[in-house]
Amino acid sequence: MKNVTPTDLKQDSQAREISNSSLFNIEQFSSGPILRVRHLVKDSSQLSTSKAVGEGLYHAQVGITSSIAVKLDPTRKQNFYQFFFSVLAVSEDHIFSADPQPVAPNSLYVNFTYVPLFAGEYDLYVEEIFQDVPWQKQIHGSPFRLVVEGDETNADDFKTHTDNLPSCQTISWEDPSWVKGDWITRKLSGRKHGVLRSGWVFQPKRCSFDIFTIDDIEFAAASKVPKTIAILGSSTERGIFLSLVDLTLRKEEKVNLMRSDLAKCWGFAEFQLGNLHFIYQDFRVEKSQDVYPGGSSEGVNITCHNDKKVNEGSQLFQDALQFLEETLFGPRQWPDIIFVASPRKHLIHLLKKISPSWNGSIYPVNNFKSKRLVHYTADGLLKAQNEAINSLSLDHRVNVLDGFTLSTGMRHDTESSPLITKANHFHRWCDELNGKMRVCGNPTEMVAQFLLGQLIAPKGKDVWMKSILYQNQEKVRSATPRTIRICYDCPATLLPFHIKSKPDLECYDSKEGLHVTLQQNFKVWDGSACPKECMKTKPVDRVFTQSGSADVRQCTVNYVI
């Protein structure tokens, strides 16, 4: 056994002071819980013709499995597998969802089960959800008044238990179920690991998420070793990037965040503070059915938005591969962590563009969305979990993060709150905590915190805090001028979708904070002209995006574009 010296005791004491100061900041910056959710509005108050039955609608016992059933309306002219339901229990300090069970062939019932953690009263929302208008309807009686009975001291025991759990970034992620858990507030959480700025935190059963404050992140930025997180996805994943930026900036530096070049970038954006880098690349390859371009005697299928050919499908995916090869893993500093919206069939090819010598981590998350109806079924969840497990076999650097399970408790808290399937984003612009919080979205901030833990404290925050002291990093931080660097190549429009293999970056350094965007200097993506054959055809659809609308034309040409 190692002999403990007075110096060791002094260093441990100082490390605890740093850690306690960090936790104090968490409390100071959180005056919540902040959850401005209207759980029931006119647009979601229509009644479904299906019915809910079961004792679990009204009564439950802590730690005991309860169940309810939704009886489908047999007169509806649709297949039973086209019915989708959401079951969500909400109290002031605890939110959890019920798990759908497999549906027997031709059954008129969809069963749900849940195991409550705490005694108390809940509003139990049982809703039928749709992919389009009317979005969702209440089952008659929803929200039900659910009373959970149990020992009130269970909450105190739970706090001690969560404090003793390992940090989530230190456990094995070979099983997607590691992220199974509930959303709770600081009233029910322990003190060791912290809570989000909103006062909420996602609490898995197997581990606890370490929470990093603005001071913690500044320590990380002062490190001698560059660290980079790359977020590749759509505007949903961009929320994670924006949460990372919002967590890092001081109040006065983020005044222009919503009006900055980073706010709505449909291209490439990079934020840097010291040796800490966050990258976002618009990477909408999820729907690409083919991964390699090519032609045949029957021609090539072309899609156009207005007068531009859309680089979707195989061509868009080829552009994505080139971006990985020429930019992300080009001559620049390689990322330590990649969070990418990608199904397994794409991941196979993306991994081929990543150097075998890279020792980072990649999280292929394809279900960080509230609007995909299939995830509200037992079969859909099982399929997503199996795909995640199968992805682990592709490469030892692939890790599993079940985005839907982590986010689903906040399904009412989206940009379209409380409409579940209407929302594309979990995040929204806000002004909370007297300007200290400009990006609100518990799921996006939770993922951001997890990635920070993996990036700067892979052995846990306690170990990292001690290393800061031993490396005398406080003096390094104090002596380092605080300058942020912003680089971007953001097109003026979202359509047509595209990915530049080498972004043409505009950059600036600032000691004051983010600048207001100069969007008038943004250029429309030149792209490729829609073939004349296509332009002669009538539009088959019209798409609407944040940058406007476009006529959609589809045709087949007899040559490879």
Side-chain angles (χ1 to χ4, degrees):
M1 180 180 294
K2 177 184 175 181
N3 292 326
V4 179
T5 67
T7 301
D8 291 330
L9 293 174
K10 181 179 179 181
Q11 289 176 331
D12 283 342
S13 175
Q14 290 173 323
R16 282 194 297 272
E17 287 179 9
I18 294 176
S19 181
N20 289 338
S21 173
S22 175
L23 288 177
F24 172 75
N25 285 335
I26 292 173
E27 298 288 346
Q28 184 184 43
F29 291 166
S30 302
S31 58
I34 301 170
L35 196 64
R36 310 193 191 289
V37 180
R38 299 167 300 162
H39 290 282
L40 187 64
V41 296
K42 181 180 179 181
D43 290 343
S44 66
S45 61
Q46 299 180 59
L47 290 181
S48 168
T49 53
S50 297
K51 298 179 180 179
V53 296
E55 182 67 15
L57 293 170
Y58 307 99
H59 302 287
Q61 189 76 25
V62 169
I64 304 297
T65 300
S66 294
S67 62
I68 68 171
V70 177
K71 184 179 180 181
L72 308 181
D73 179 359
T75 65
R76 294 264 288 274
K77 294 181 179 180
Q78 65 189 87
N79 294 322
F80 293 148
Y81 64 81
Q82 293 176 317
F83 286 77
F84 301 92
F85 299 95
S86 163
V87 181
L88 192 69
V90 179
S91 75
E92 289 186 0
D93 298 293
H94 182 209
I95 298 176
F96 66 91
S97 58
D99 298 322
Q101 302 303 303
V103 179
N106 300 320
S107 173
L108 285 175
Y109 291 89
V110 180
N111 296 304
F112 293 82
T113 62
Y114 64 89
V115 181
L117 284 176
F118 306 106
E121 294 185 353
Y122 295 80
D123 287 328
L124 185 68
Y125 293 87
V126 185
E127 300 167 296
E128 183 174 1
I129 52 179
F130 306 86
Q131 195 63 64
D132 208 331
V133 177
W135 304 113
Q136 67 203 58
K137 293 182 178 181
Q138 302 296 318
I139 300 297
H140 182 73
S142 175
F144 298 88
R145 196 59 175 169
L146 170 64
V147 177
V148 178
E149 298 178 344
D151 190 346
E152 295 291 342
T153 62
N154 176 62
D156 293 330
D157 294 338
F158 185 79
K159 291 179 182 180
T160 302
H161 170 68
T162 57
D163 275 343
N164 292 330
L165 287 174
S167 300
C168 287
Q169 69 269 30
T170 67
I171 68 170
S172 171
W173 305 303
E174 295 180 359
D175 181 355
S177 67
W178 76 265
V179 81
K180 184 73 174 175
D182 294 352
W183 283 92
I184 58 176
T185 69
R186 72 165 56 82
K187 182 178 178 180
L188 298 175
S189 71
R191 284 186 54 85
K192 177 182 176 182
H193 298 278
V195 296
L196 300 179
R197 295 174 298 173
S198 67
W200 288 85
V201 71
F202 184 74
Q203 181 59 60
K205 291 181 171 60
R206 291 175 50 193
C207 60
S208 292
F209 285 103
D210 283 335
I211 302 301
F212 296 85
T213 68
I214 188 171
D215 289 337
D216 298 332
I217 297 171
E218 191 167 357
F219 274 119
S223 170
K224 296 179 181 179
V225 181
K227 297 286 186 180
T228 303
I229 296 174
I231 308 293
L232 314 180
S234 66
S235 54
T236 304
E237 288 73 33
R238 187 171 66 230
I240 301 170
F241 169 77
L242 292 173
S243 289
L244 286 167
V245 173
D246 194 40
L247 286 165
T248 304
L249 290 174
R250 295 172 179 170
K251 173 183 174 180
E252 63 275 11
E253 295 171 333
K254 65 177 73 175
V255 172
N256 295 324
L257 179 54
M258 187 173 67
R259 299 179 295 162
S260 72
D261 300 301
L262 306 180
K264 191 184 290 185
C265 183
W266 295 306
F268 178 94
E270 182 173 11
F271 171 92
Q272 179 182 352
L273 174 66
N275 270 332
L276 202 58
H277 301 246
F278 305 137
I279 290 172
Y280 171 73
Q281 170 63 49
D282 204 271
F283 207 78
R284 301 171 191 258
V285 301
E286 289 181 81
K287 296 182 180 179
S288 300
Q289 297 300 317
D290 302 315
V291 294
Y292 289 113
S296 69
S297 59
E298 298 178 356
V300 177
N301 293 325
I302 297 295
T303 299
C304 296
H305 289 163
N306 290 337
D307 61 345
K308 294 291 193 299
K309 181 174 73 71
V310 179
N311 279 2
E312 62 181 10
S314 58
Q315 184 57 58
L316 182 64
F317 193 74
Q318 290 302 301
D319 294 341
L321 294 177
Q322 282 188 281
F323 168 78
L324 258 68
E325 189 173 31
E326 299 180 27
T327 295
L328 212 56
F329 288 92
R332 61 178 294 129
Q333 174 73 31
W334 291 358
D336 299 274
I337 295 174
I338 300 174
F339 184 99
V340 56
S342 172
R344 186 179 186 275
K345 66 177 181 179
H346 294 157
L347 181 63
I348 294 172
H349 300 283
L350 293 174
L351 287 169
K352 293 178 181 178
K353 295 298 181 181
I354 297 177
S355 171
S357 63
W358 181 61
N359 61 355
S361 299
I362 184 167
Y363 291 87
V365 180
N366 195 37
N367 61 351
F368 186 58
K369 292 175 173 63
S370 66
K371 66 183 299 178
R372 287 188 177 168
L373 294 177
V374 67
H375 292 148
Y376 295 88
T377 68
D379 290 343
L381 283 174
L382 181 61
K383 182 179 179 180
Q385 290 174 355
N386 287 338
E387 179 172 332
I389 293 173
N390 291 335
S391 295
L392 290 170
S393 64
L394 296 176
D395 194 296
H396 70 278
R397 297 166 296 188
V398 174
N399 295 297
V400 174
L401 178 62
D402 186 346
F404 181 78
T405 297
L406 181 147
S407 61
T408 187
M410 290 290 164
R411 63 182 65 159
H412 277 180
D413 187 27
T414 65
E415 62 173 351
S416 301
S417 171
L419 300 179
I420 299 170
T421 55
K422 184 180 180 181
N424 287 314
H425 309 146
F426 283 112
H427 68 282
R428 63 190 183 279
W429 298 111
C430 62
D431 185 1
E432 300 286 357
L433 305 178
N434 193 28
K436 295 186 178 75
M437 186 175 180
R438 297 285 184 169
V439 179
C440 288
N442 286 323
T444 51
E445 186 170 325
M446 195 73 260
V447 174
Q449 287 284 0
F450 172 68
L451 296 178
L452 281 172
Q454 174 74 348
L455 182 74
I456 64 180
K459 295 182 180 180
K461 188 174 178 180
D462 282 351
V463 174
W464 176 69
M465 281 293 186
K466 291 181 180 180
S467 73
I468 289 176
L469 176 68
Y470 297 153
Q471 296 171 18
N472 207 16
Q473 206 158 317
E474 172 61 42
K475 290 184 179 179
V476 175
R477 184 183 73 152
S478 301
T480 303
R482 185 177 172 92
T483 301
I484 61 173
R485 182 171 178 80
I486 304 298
C487 293
Y488 59 91
D489 181 359
C490 305
T493 60
L494 171 62
L495 299 176
F497 297 145
H498 64 280
I499 299 172
K500 284 187 179 180
S501 59
K502 289 184 177 180
D504 184 16
L505 298 180
E506 296 281 345
C507 299
Y508 68 84
D509 297 323
S510 174
K511 290 182 170 61
E512 294 77 32
L514 296 175
H515 295 175
V516 175
T517 183
L518 297 175
Q519 278 195 339
Q520 63 268 26
N521 294 337
F522 288 3
K523 297 178 180 179
V524 175
W525 171 250
D526 291 335
S528 302
C530 183
K532 293 180 180 179
E533 295 93 321
C534 283
M535 290 302 295
K536 293 177 182 178
T537 64
K538 292 182 178 180
V540 297
D541 196 3
R542 189 167 183 81
V543 294
F544 297 89
T545 72
Q546 293 172 325
S547 63
S549 60
D551 289 329
V552 179
R553 290 178 172 84
Q554 293 178 334
C555 64
T556 301
V557 296
N558 294 319
Y559 52 88
V560 178
I561 300 299

